[in-house]
Amino acid sequence: MEARKTPLYDEHVKLGGKVVDYAGWYLPVQYEGLVPEHEAVRNAVGLFDVSHMGEITIKGKDALAFVDYLMTNDISKVVDNQIVYTFMCAPDGGVVDDLLVYRLAHDDFYLVVNASNADKDYKWITEQKGDFDVEITNISDTVGEVAIQGPLAQKVLQKLTNTDLNTITFFTLNRKVDVNGVECMLSRTGYTGEDGFEVYTTNEGVVKVWQDLLEAGKEEGIKPCGLGCRDTLRFEASLPLYGHEMSDVISPLEGGFKYFVKLDKASDFIGKEALNKQWTEGLKRKLAGFEMIGRGIPREGYEIQKDGKVIGHVTTGYMSPTLKKNIGNALIATEYTELGTEVDIMIRNKPVKAKIISKKFLTK
């Protein structure tokens, strides 16, 4: 099946983006280059096309109870126009997806899910509906979205709207904001470790928003950014990626995300029993950060050994553009996760020394 195009595909081609097939979507991996785009977001402002993300709405009398049943986080404590990061798990504790839940009202929720999981998530959610009085709709094909990220993101976006962006605080949203004549929903979450906004609108409207933001941000040095730096930015900021730091066979507890799994919340949720058992009995493996001592860049899937024994594998590895070090995350046996432990990363079948460090690579 041929990859799909976002509403901004022609803009990427026009700007010289190196477009690749990413999870079934034609998206730019880079324009000017991974490092300059990465540094633009860390030091100024960058703009991403994230129209490939999935959006699912859940509305109705039982919407709050149903979403709370689906999610590991405590949705009952979320207020209107607030957003929460959470996991949606299977009964065995494996992760169906990690996502953001936007509470628009007690009977109206907006879920932002990973692009590659959107159809799977919609099917999963629908299958769990049971007797809950809710209406579930996959609106992914009707939504265009860009993310403007970086310390100067607010300054640029503020040029295009009369809405005071200070009123949209971290992990909150405003459903109706005029962005230079285009009605948008704005939120402030981010996936780079920097301040920034997500701008949701129609497929038609997002092209104008994209063009207007690039024009408005010229003075601040705004750059269109590709998937390459999106991954290095999120990784440096210790933000997980589905299929790497958690998956259907890596639980959120093994990934080190206990904070988002409310085992003590009053209501039941899918996966609670299995996750509670895993936590009570103790984790056999955990996600750990590491820094290379020897030369070599760690890549996803590389085997990790200790004294010749296989103890796990790399989930993400990069030369960090900000830290100028070769670092990574690894899922390894718990007894080897103490900070300072030396392990071997198997690079081209040769052991290369690395040291376990904190996963909080970026200290800002």
Side-chain angles (χ1 to χ4, degrees):
M1 183 185 295
E2 187 177 3
R4 301 167 68 184
K5 297 176 181 177
T6 75
L8 292 166
Y9 174 81
D10 290 342
E11 299 299 310
H12 302 318
V13 174
K14 192 166 66 180
L15 291 168
K18 183 181 177 183
V19 175
V20 300
D21 180 346
Y22 172 80
W25 291 85
Y26 284 128
L27 286 166
V29 66
Q30 63 181 40
Y31 295 87
E32 185 179 334
L34 186 153
V35 173
E37 291 164 25
H38 180 107
E39 291 177 344
V41 176
R42 282 277 176 261
N43 303 312
V45 57
L47 186 63
F48 297 86
D49 175 14
V50 282
S51 300
H52 61 302
M53 297 296 285
E55 292 85 11
I56 296 168
T57 60
I58 299 177
K59 300 181 181 182
K61 182 170 70 67
D62 296 336
L64 174 57
F66 182 51
V67 175
D68 202 34
Y69 174 64
L70 290 171
M71 308 302 168
T72 63
N73 214 327
D74 192 347
I75 307 302
S76 70
K77 293 183 178 175
V78 182
V79 300
D80 290 357
N81 298 320
Q82 188 181 3
I83 305 159
V84 66
Y85 175 76
T86 184
F87 299 97
M88 185 164 60
C89 284
D92 66 0
V95 179
V96 177
D97 205 0
D98 69 325
L99 64 152
L100 293 174
V101 173
Y102 288 50
R103 172 171 161 150
L104 307 183
H106 75 281
D107 58 354
D108 191 353
F109 288 82
Y110 188 99
L111 278 47
V112 181
V113 304
N114 284 296
S116 57
N117 288 340
D119 291 338
K120 179 190 75 171
D121 289 355
Y122 176 68
K123 183 173 183 288
W124 170 260
I125 293 169
T126 303
E127 289 172 349
Q128 312 312 313
K129 179 174 177 290
D131 294 330
F132 287 101
D133 185 359
V134 292
E135 180 182 342
I136 307 159
T137 310
N138 185 352
I139 60 169
S140 303
D141 289 341
T142 69
V143 179
E145 182 193 353
V146 295
I148 181 168
Q149 295 281 301
L152 301 180
Q154 179 168 336
K155 183 178 180 182
V156 173
L157 183 56
Q158 190 67 77
K159 294 179 184 179
L160 300 179
T161 180
N162 291 325
T163 298
D164 181 0
L165 297 179
N166 288 317
T167 62
I168 306 175
T169 54
F170 194 48
F171 269 69
T172 69
L173 67 105
N174 185 326
R175 296 181 68 175
K176 191 172 288 190
V177 177
D178 185 306
V179 179
N180 212 25
V182 179
E183 184 174 308
C184 301
M185 179 170 77
L186 299 190
S187 65
R188 195 170 198 154
T189 57
Y191 193 50
T192 61
E194 300 297 332
D195 188 21
F197 297 84
E198 296 72 45
V199 185
Y200 300 87
T201 184
T202 61
N203 287 329
E204 296 74 25
V206 77
V207 178
K208 176 171 167 48
V209 170
W210 169 271
Q211 293 171 342
D212 289 349
L213 284 169
L214 288 179
E215 181 65 28
K218 279 184 176 177
E219 190 178 342
E220 288 76 18
I222 193 171
K223 290 184 188 295
C225 296
L227 295 164
C229 77
R230 183 170 178 258
D231 202 35
T232 53
L233 287 159
R234 73 90 192 162
F235 166 63
E236 282 183 353
S238 305
L239 299 169
L241 177 63
Y242 183 84
H244 294 250
E245 280 72 37
M246 97 302 290
S247 71
D248 59 346
V249 292
I250 305 173
S251 84
L253 301 179
E254 293 173 319
F257 309 112
K258 171 73 166 52
Y259 181 79
F260 306 102
V261 180
K262 306 300 186 188
L263 294 173
D264 58 349
K265 75 175 179 179
S267 57
D268 192 17
F269 65 87
I270 299 172
K272 185 175 184 177
E273 184 178 344
L275 291 169
N276 198 37
K277 182 172 186 292
Q278 189 179 59
W279 186 250
T280 303
E281 293 181 350
L283 300 173
K284 294 182 173 57
R285 57 181 189 169
K286 288 199 306 188
L287 195 73
F290 67 84
E291 174 185 342
M292 297 303 297
I293 298 173
R295 297 185 64 180
I297 298 177
R299 299 297 187 194
E300 178 195 355
Y302 281 6
E303 201 172 76
I304 298 183
Q305 297 186 1
K306 179 69 176 177
D307 300 327
K309 175 186 173 185
V310 178
I311 61 169
H313 69 277
V314 176
T315 60
T316 302
Y318 276 115
M319 195 290 285
S320 165
T322 302
L323 304 176
K324 313 298 184 192
K325 295 178 178 177
N326 293 326
I327 55 177
N329 282 327
L331 188 68
I332 58 176
T334 302
E335 58 264 39
Y336 301 105
T337 57
E338 187 174 341
L339 299 185
T341 302
E342 290 192 4
V343 297
D344 292 320
I345 311 291
M346 300 302 291
I347 299 180
R348 298 185 188 87
N349 295 320
K350 293 182 180 176
V352 181
K353 287 291 180 193
K355 181 176 68 177
I356 301 300
I357 62 172
S358 168
K359 298 195 299 292
K360 295 180 179 177
F361 303 118
L362 201 65
T363 55
K364 62 184 292 185

